[in-house]
């Protein structure tokens, strides 16, 4: 610092801060002094020790996020510091690596969803829903956005914040006896009244959507945009949402990204090409360089805040780009057939848990057509059951009662390829014992 | 001599498939997917592919990255290491509170440190990016006025503001009033005449995007307060004032920070970042839920505030980013953060002294802080534009500055070297910028010629969108 100060001809560093008014100047911050690297690492490790991870304590939580395997190759790819220490690729000639990876991500998302275009990510699945509602309104110029009653309360809350200041009215439809969004409830809406309808596949109760004709029919009747929230893994084995009339497909882009306490994941966002000008977020396009060689760059930026300022389709700037690189490298490592076998494994494991629980007195109130989550009602108090399990080192399923009073004693189980037969059997055995104790 | 790797790297779908196998899909015919056009590649080929691509990319670890307003400082490796624990990665957001005490403690401690650094009273870590923090802040502005029975419609921003400011205000339903700058600062008279009982908030970056400290800030805050509006701090440039001044003492009511800028968490090619929002005590009740609270020695999520704006993201924010920022704050500590600021401002002033001259001029008088904006308009008579200089810098293996922003400077080049760069690195950067200004104009206009590819036809990309591999 001294050398630089001499070169600039200043004696006191504070000369550079002269513009700050005297009365608000401070000298330092009221936090402890800096620590050595080794001390910081020790301190953080010792705090984090108070957490119980999936390794410490198998869990059967679902509700949008579930544990999945991240292949080591994916970690190594996203740990390349040329990727993770780069900025948004404003200089394409120096960012071809990131740009091509992002282009591949968009291609993979489009293949899975059947949509024509995908952006490079939203913050998460909930904000993607908020943006989708706003986009439906921009496209349709209508104000009503319809959601099923059974989506997560977090998504409802985020959606409310994105919707209300855009003049969007969010209305709910109930779920039917099978636990599926009750599409017949849409009959009260006339043609042209609704901006968009949100459906999930699988839905919050884990149920796979199979009403292809009914959804297409409903779409025709109402003239509304269909927004579909998906688990990308399921899409490797079922027909893409484009065949269910979807105009916008969103979702939690968990692939290659750990649970991370719910953060540092991405929101999938894809749509049909006729609506691309109304789409939020960054888009990568292929082009050529001046020698005619294939090249990639950010494109259609006139929708974005740094060009359009107040008139942009969204304010999004930073997104979850590195999570998109994790996603596309996960898909590449697993491959088409790898994805499909993981999807099948998820479904089989979930079915195995459900049948085991049925055999010890649980009821499964909804359709048996579920993916990797399902609702089950224990023969004893769900909360007491979970407490028992937790004492024995297993985290029970998500309790639905708080947000779905009609399912007061309901549990939402999440089961994936991470749950071994041994883990499942142990959980079922402990559950059986707990039922006898409670 | 510098040279970035250059592969004719195929797209994933153009690589030979080596791992195809049959998978039986036991699911009803009605919904079963027959065709899935994704390749099944060997791990060896996939890794090679992405390593090649990484070598065709430039990061902070590669070299100087002086993008103005982006604060591309070095990201200490410890930060990556601590976030790689299973106690971070394999934690479900719906776990019982007793099993996530470590995460809650980190969040609580980080909130406290951010309060101390900024002079605010309470923080929410839920917003996921800077612009997301702005949106959250604007929702709080709205909730505040509504709780006073007022419906104020306007948010004022200076013409030097980041594009996200007006975009965020609009997303929260406000009308945006843009006021002109005067000599590179807020024009107090223009502000005064724009302010009214209809003003909900004034959004300001300080130091502003020109790197100039708004020295009339106390008067500005007095004027804003006079009409009952709130003052919003865009924290993009906090790196210029840590340990020197606090937004809370300047009269700001709401701030957002960019942890991926000031607190050294990496940018990841565009994210994930984190944009925590801090407020003064009277606004605390509007912050998103849940709040993290400490009772005795245990931590809880508190959902009880009836006035809360609700949620702005799915769960609690980008936890790994929060953790990295916390590790950075522990490492630096009180003196270290102040020194980072001092060195950042010193580096910027030193580089400015070397860059500004006959080729690159400095618009507006007065001093600069952690960044400065020069105009390359003098080069126009030789047919060279700021864009050309930027592209030519690539040939020397240097990342260019932000260009054409802020909009109020012609042929703007916005340079923020950060505290991470050595004097040698700064000398070299200035030297090359000045060499380029005197190079053959044709050569500069045709740059880059030493990057993996030549100048990209961005107009073609927009005219003829090819947005996935199926579009070729």
């Amino acid at each position: 610092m001294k050398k630089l100060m001499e070169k600039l001809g200043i004696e006191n560093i504070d000369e550079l801060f002269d513009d700050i008014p005297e009365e608000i100047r401070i000298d330092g911050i009221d936090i402890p002094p800096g620590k050595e690297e080794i001390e910081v690492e020790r301190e953080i490790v010792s705090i984090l020790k108070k957490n119980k991870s999936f390794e410490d304590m198998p869990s059967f939580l679902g509700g949008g996020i579930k544990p999945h395997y991240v292949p080591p190759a994916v970690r190594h790819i996203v740990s390349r510091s040329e990727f993770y220490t780069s900025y948004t690729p404003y200089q394409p000639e120096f960012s071809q690596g990131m740009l091509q990876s992002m282009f591949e991500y968009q291609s993979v998302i489009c293949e899975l969803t059947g949509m024509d275009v995908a952006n490079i990510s939203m913050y998460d699945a909930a904000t993607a829903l908020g943006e989708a509602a706003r986009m439906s309104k921009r496209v349709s110029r209508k104000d009503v956005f319809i959601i099923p009653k059974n989506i997560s309360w977090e998504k409802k809350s985020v959606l409310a914040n994105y919707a209300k200041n855009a003049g969007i009215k969010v209305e709910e439809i109930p779920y039917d006896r099978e636990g599926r969004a009750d599409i017949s409830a849409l009959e009260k809406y006339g043609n042209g009244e609704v901006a968009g309808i949100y459906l999930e596949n699988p839905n919050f109760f884990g149920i796979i959507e199979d009403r292809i004709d009914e959804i297409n029919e409903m779409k025709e009747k109402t003239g509304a945009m269909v927004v579909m929230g998906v688990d990308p893994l399921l899409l490797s084995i079922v027909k893409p949402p484009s065949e269910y009339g979807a105009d916008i497909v969103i979702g939690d882009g968990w692939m290659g990204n750990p649970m991370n306490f719910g953060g540092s994941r991405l929101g999938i966002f894809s749509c049909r090409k006729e609506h691309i000008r109304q789409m939020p977020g960054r888009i990568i396009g292929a082009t050529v360089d001046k020698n005619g060689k294939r090249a990639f760059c950010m494109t259609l930026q006139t929708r974005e805040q740094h060009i359009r300022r107040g008139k942009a389709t969204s304010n999004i700037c930073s997104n979850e780009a590195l999570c998109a690189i994790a996603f596309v490298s996960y898909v590449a490592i697993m491959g088409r057939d790898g994805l499909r076998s993981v999807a099948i494994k998820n479904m089989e494991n979930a079915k195995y848990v459900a049948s085991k629980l049925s055999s010890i007195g649980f009821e499964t109130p909804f359709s048996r057509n579920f993916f990797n989550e399902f609702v089950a009602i224990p023969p004893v108090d769900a909360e007491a059951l979970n407490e028992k399990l937790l004492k024995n080192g297993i985290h029970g399923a998500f309790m639905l009662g708080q947000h779905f009073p009609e399912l007061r004693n309901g549990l939402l189980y999440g089961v994936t390829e991470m749950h071994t037969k041994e883990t499942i059997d142990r959980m079922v055995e402990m559950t059986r014992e707990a039922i006898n104790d409670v | 001599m510098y040279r970035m790797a250059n592969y004719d790297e195929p797209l994933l779908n153009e690589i030979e498939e080596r791992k195809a196998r049959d998978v039986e899909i036991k699911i009803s015919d009605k919904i079963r997917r027959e065709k899935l056009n994704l390749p099944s590649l060997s791990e060896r080929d996939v890794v090679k592919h992405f390593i090649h691509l990484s070598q065709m990319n430039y990061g902070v670890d590669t070299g100087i990255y002086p993008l103005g307003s982006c604060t591309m400082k070095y990201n200490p490796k410890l930060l990556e290491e601590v976030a790689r624990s299973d106690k971070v990665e394999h934690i479900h957001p719906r776990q019982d509170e007793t099993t996530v005490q470590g995460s809650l403690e980190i969040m609580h401690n980080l909130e406290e440190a951010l309060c101390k650094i900024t002079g605010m009273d309470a923080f929410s870590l839920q917003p996921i990016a800077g612009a997301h923090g702005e949106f959250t802040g604007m929702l709080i502005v709205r909730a505040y006025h509504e709780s006073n029975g007022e419906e104020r419609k306007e948010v004022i921003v200076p013409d030097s503001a980041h594009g996200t400011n007006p975009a965020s205000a609009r997303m929260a339903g406000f009308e945006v009033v843009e006021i002109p700058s005067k000599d590179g600062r807020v024009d107090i008279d223009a502000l005064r005449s724009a302010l009214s009982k209809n003003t909900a908030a004034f959004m300001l970056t300080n130091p502003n995007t020109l790197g100039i400290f708004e020295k009339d800030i106390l008067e500005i805050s007095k004027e804003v307060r006079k009409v009952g509006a709130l003052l919003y701090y865009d924290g993009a440039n906090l790196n210029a004032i840590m340990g020197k001044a606090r937004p809370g003492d300047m009269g700001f009511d709401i701030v957002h920070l960019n942890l991926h800028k000031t607190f050294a968490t990496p940018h990841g090619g565009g994210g994930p970042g984190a944009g925590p929002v801090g407020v003064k005590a009277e606004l605390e009740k509007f912050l998103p839920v849940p709040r993290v609270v400490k009772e005795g020695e245990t931590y809880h999520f508190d959902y009880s505030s009836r006035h809360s704006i609700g949620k702005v993201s799915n769960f609690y924010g980008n936890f790994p980013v929060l953790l990295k920022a916390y590790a950075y704050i522990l490492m630096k500590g009180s003196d270290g953060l102040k020194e980072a600021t001092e060195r950042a401002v010193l580096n910027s002033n030193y580089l400015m002294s070397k860059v500004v001259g006959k080729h690159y001029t400095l618009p507006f008088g007065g001093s600069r802080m952690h960044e400065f904006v020069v105009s390359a308009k003098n080069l126009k008579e030789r047919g060279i534009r700021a864009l050309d200089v930027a592209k030519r810098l690539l040939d020397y293996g240097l990342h260019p500055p932000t260009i054409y922003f802020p909009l109020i400077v012609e042929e703007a080049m916005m340079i923020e070297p950060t505290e991470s760069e050595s004097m040698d690195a700064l000398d070299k950067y200035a030297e090359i910028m000045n060499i380029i200004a005197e190079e053959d104009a044709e050569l500069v206009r045709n740059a880059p010629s030493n990057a993996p590819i030549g100048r990209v036809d961005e107009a073609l990309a927009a005219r003829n969108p090819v947005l996935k591999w199926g579009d070729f």
Side-chain angles (χ1 to χ4, degrees), chain A residues 27 29 50 53 65 75 264, chain B residues 86 89 92 318 334 338:
Chain A
D27 185 26
I29 301 160
K50 299 168 192 167
S53 73
I65 287 186
R75 282 170 182 285
S264 288
Chain B
D86 72 295
E89 293 189 336
H92 194 287
N318 278 341
S334 171
K338 188 179 81 169

Side-chain angles (χ1 to χ4, degrees), chain B residues 184-341:
Chain B
R185 288 193 168 92
V186 172
D187 180 344
I188 302 262
D189 290 331
L191 175 63
R192 212 175 278 128
S193 55
L195 284 167
S196 74
K197 286 279 170 210
N198 202 17
T199 308
F202 178 46
M203 298 178 89
L204 187 63
T205 311
N206 196 16
N208 64 28
T209 57
L210 294 159
I212 299 174
F213 192 85
E214 301 282 357
K215 58 185 173 190
D216 301 325
I217 183 61
L218 296 175
E219 199 185 337
I220 291 171
S221 86
K222 214 168 78 192
E223 292 293 335
V224 171
R225 201 155 304 263
K226 223 189 269 174
V227 299
L230 297 172
L231 189 57
Y232 183 91
Y233 184 80
D234 175 335
N237 292 345
L238 186 77
N239 211 40
I241 59 166
M242 281 190 295
K244 296 288 177 183
R246 308 191 302 174
D249 301 333
M250 298 176 200
F252 286 96
D253 301 290
I254 308 175
V255 312
H256 87 260
L257 304 179
N258 302 71
L259 299 187
H260 46 289
K261 296 180 180 177
T262 319
F263 298 96
T265 76
H267 282 69
V277 166
V279 294
K280 283 293 175 63
E282 62 170 344
L283 299 176
E284 182 173 357
K285 62 183 178 184
F286 300 114
L287 284 174
V289 286
R291 306 290 318 287
V292 179
V293 294
K294 186 177 184 184
E295 277 165 29
E297 285 312 301
T298 56
Y299 299 86
H300 303 284
F301 278 133
D302 179 0
Y303 290 88
S304 66
S305 172
R306 283 182 302 115
H307 297 276
S308 165
I309 60 167
K311 289 188 71 66
V312 293
S313 73
N314 220 343
F315 293 102
Y316 322 116
N318 278 341
F319 182 77
V321 181
L322 304 175
L323 173 67
K324 290 175 196 183
Y326 181 61
Y328 178 75
I329 291 170
L330 285 184
M331 260 168 89
K332 292 287 171 188
S334 171
D335 291 349
L337 290 178
K338 188 179 81 169
E339 269 170 42
T341 283

Side-chain angles (χ1 to χ4, degrees), chain A residues 4 14 17 19 23-32 34-35 44 47-48 50-56 62-63 65 75 79-82 84-88 91 93-98 100 103-104 106-107 110-112 116-117 123-124 127 134 153-154 157-158 161-162 165 210 235 237-239 259-261 263-264 276 285-290 293-294 299 305 309-310 315 318-322 333 335-338 340-341 348 395, chain B residues 2 6 8 10-12 14 17 19-21 26 30-31 33 36-40 49 53-54 56-61 65 70 72 77 86-92 94-96 99-100 102-103 105 116 128 131-132 139 142 161 163-164 168 170-172 185 215 240 243-244 249 266-272 309 311-314 317-318 330-334 338 347 350 367 369 391 446 453-457 461-462 466-469:
Chain A
L4 282 171
D14 283 326
F17 296 86
D19 277 353
E23 51 270 58
I24 55 167
R25 270 193 228 169
I26 57 169
D27 185 26
I29 301 160
D30 181 22
I31 59 174
K35 295 184 172 124
I44 286 185
I47 298 175
L48 287 175
K50 299 168 192 167
N51 280 353
K52 284 206 168 81
S53 73
F54 187 80
E55 277 74 22
D56 305 326
I65 287 186
R75 282 170 182 285
S79 301
R80 290 291 294 195
S81 78
E82 298 93 330
Y84 82 74
T85 72
S86 67
Y87 197 71
T88 300
Q91 297 292 338
E93 298 85 359
F94 250 26
S95 315
Q96 282 302 296
M98 199 77 195
Q100 182 172 334
F103 182 85
E104 292 172 340
Q106 290 175 184
S107 304
C110 290
E111 179 56 32
L112 286 167
D116 302 312
V117 291
Y123 305 134
D124 62 19
T127 60
R134 296 178 77 108
W153 80 269
E154 290 95 350
S157 183
V158 174
N161 273 325
Y162 275 73
N165 299 308
D210 61 0
L235 297 186
I237 54 169
V238 303
K239 286 183 175 154
M259 291 190 286
N260 283 331
F261 205 28
S264 288
I276 191 169
T287 179
V288 292
D289 76 352
K290 67 167 186 168
K293 186 178 166 186
R294 182 164 76 191
T299 193
Q305 49 77 26
R309 299 176 74 81
N315 67 338
S318 283
N319 48 39
E320 307 287 297
L322 194 70
I333 289 288
R336 171 190 62 241
D337 306 319
R340 290 180 146 180
S341 26
E348 284 174 355
H395 201 297
Chain B
Y2 165 80
N6 181 8
D8 289 319
L11 286 161
L12 280 172
E14 297 164 346
E17 189 161 285
K19 235 179 65 180
R21 61 193 154 111
K26 287 168 272 179
K30 188 177 162 199
I31 55 170
R33 183 171 197 151
L36 181 65
N37 235 335
L38 296 172
S40 280
H49 173 73
L53 291 179
S54 75
M56 291 162 66
N57 217 59
Y58 185 98
V60 170
D61 284 3
Y65 215 131
C70 302
M72 295 295 283
K77 297 303 168 198
D86 72 295
K87 309 272 191 196
V88 176
E89 293 189 336
H90 300 171
I91 303 292
H92 194 287
R94 299 190 193 279
Q95 274 180 225
D96 190 271
T99 67
V100 292
S103 297
E105 185 173 339
K116 296 276 172 56
I128 282 175
H132 200 216
L139 293 175
R142 178 167 288 274
T164 49
S168 301
R170 275 290 293 261
M171 266 184 83
R185 288 193 168 92
K215 58 185 173 190
K244 296 288 177 183
D249 301 333
H267 282 69
I309 60 167
K311 289 188 71 66
V312 293
S313 73
N314 220 343
N318 278 341
L330 285 184
M331 260 168 89
K332 292 287 171 188
S334 171
K338 188 179 81 169
N347 270 357
Y350 178 72
S367 52
M369 299 197 73
K391 297 300 180 196
N446 283 322
I453 53 169
R455 204 174 290 193
V456 169
D457 189 346
V466 176
L467 309 174
K468 60 181 185 296
W469 55 45

Side-chain angles (χ1 to χ4, degrees), chain B residues 428-445:
Chain B
K428 184 175 171 212
Y429 202 81
E431 186 195 340
I432 301 287
M433 275 192 74
N434 284 310
I435 286 175
I436 290 171
E438 293 180 2
E439 278 183 321
D440 177 56
E442 191 66 16
L443 178 73
V444 177
R445 272 197 303 272

Side-chain angles (χ1 to χ4, degrees), chain B residues 410-436:
Chain B
E410 187 186 349
E411 295 296 313
M413 304 191 81
M414 185 191 204
I415 310 179
E416 180 182 5
T418 80
E419 67 273 23
S420 305
E421 298 305 325
S422 65
M423 191 167 106
D424 281 349
L426 301 175
D427 283 337
K428 184 175 171 212
Y429 202 81
E431 186 195 340
I432 301 287
M433 275 192 74
N434 284 310
I435 286 175
I436 290 171

Side-chain angles (χ1 to χ4, degrees), chain A residues 345-406:
Chain A
K345 186 87 192 157
N346 272 248
M347 211 154 57
E348 284 174 355
N349 280 358
K351 292 222 152 60
Y352 179 67
V353 176
S355 69
K356 282 283 199 179
L357 292 176
S358 294
S359 74
I360 57 170
F362 279 62
E363 273 176 62
T364 44
F366 302 127
S367 157
R368 304 285 295 171
N369 191 20
F370 52 81
F371 182 44
N372 57 9
E373 291 187 60
F374 62 91
V375 178
I377 299 169
V380 293
D381 181 62
E383 196 170 346
L385 169 64
N386 270 359
E387 269 169 36
K388 282 258 176 216
L389 288 176
L390 197 58
K391 272 196 196 125
N392 289 307
I394 288 184
H395 201 297
F398 178 60
M399 288 183 279
L400 288 165
Q402 196 190 343
H403 302 290
F404 298 93
E406 69 279 12

Side-chain angles (χ1 to χ4, degrees), chain B residues 10-231:
Chain B
L11 286 161
L12 280 172
N13 68 327
E14 297 164 346
I15 298 171
E16 183 192 340
E17 189 161 285
R18 293 210 271 166
K19 235 179 65 180
R21 61 193 154 111
D22 282 332
V23 179
E24 194 195 344
I25 302 175
K26 287 168 272 179
I27 195 167
S28 88
D29 288 351
K30 188 177 162 199
I31 55 170
R32 187 173 56 233
R33 183 171 197 151
E34 299 304 335
K35 215 172 116 227
L36 181 65
N37 235 335
L38 296 172
S40 280
L41 308 174
S42 70
E43 178 175 323
R44 193 267 172 281
D45 291 343
V46 173
V47 169
K48 184 174 73 177
H49 173 73
F50 284 107
I51 297 308
H52 284 180
L53 291 179
S54 75
Q55 289 176 306
M56 291 162 66
N57 217 59
Y58 185 98
V60 170
D61 284 3
T62 318
I64 188 168
Y65 215 131
L67 283 172
S69 261
C70 302
T71 315
M72 295 295 283
K73 60 170 76 175
Y74 175 69
N75 314 122
K77 297 303 168 198
L78 173 66
L79 278 49
E80 296 306 302
E81 218 49 47
V82 292
R84 196 141 298 169
S85 152
D86 72 295
K87 309 272 191 196
V88 176
E89 293 189 336
H90 300 171
I91 303 292
H92 194 287
R94 299 190 193 279
Q95 274 180 225
D96 190 271
E97 272 174 12
T98 58
T99 67
V100 292
Q101 286 295 302
S103 297
L104 295 182
E105 185 173 339
I106 301 267
M107 290 170 72
H108 182 263
N109 292 355
L110 177 61
E111 285 179 9
E112 278 195 338
L114 296 179
C115 285
K116 296 276 172 56
I117 293 166
T118 57
M120 305 309 283
D121 297 315
F123 260 89
S124 166
L125 305 174
Q126 200 175 116
I128 282 175
H132 200 216
E134 292 173 16
F135 177 56
T136 305
M138 288 299 110
L139 293 175
I140 292 171
V141 167
R142 178 167 288 274
Y144 166 77
H145 290 303
E146 277 171 7
S147 78
N148 292 336
E150 288 189 315
E151 199 195 333
R152 296 184 174 227
K153 289 212 165 72
E154 291 174 357
V155 167
I156 304 175
V157 301
D159 57 3
S160 62
H162 298 110
T164 49
N165 290 180
S168 301
R170 275 290 293 261
M171 266 184 83
F174 292 108
E175 288 156 27
V176 177
V177 178
E178 197 174 275
I179 56 166
S181 305
K182 192 174 158 193
D183 300 327
R185 288 193 168 92
V186 172
D187 180 344
I188 302 262
D189 290 331
L191 175 63
R192 212 175 278 128
S193 55
L195 284 167
S196 74
K197 286 279 170 210
N198 202 17
T199 308
F202 178 46
M203 298 178 89
L204 187 63
T205 311
N206 196 16
N208 64 28
T209 57
L210 294 159
I212 299 174
F213 192 85
E214 301 282 357
K215 58 185 173 190
D216 301 325
I217 183 61
L218 296 175
E219 199 185 337
I220 291 171
S221 86
K222 214 168 78 192
E223 292 293 335
V224 171
R225 201 155 304 263
K226 223 189 269 174
V227 299
L230 297 172
L231 189 57

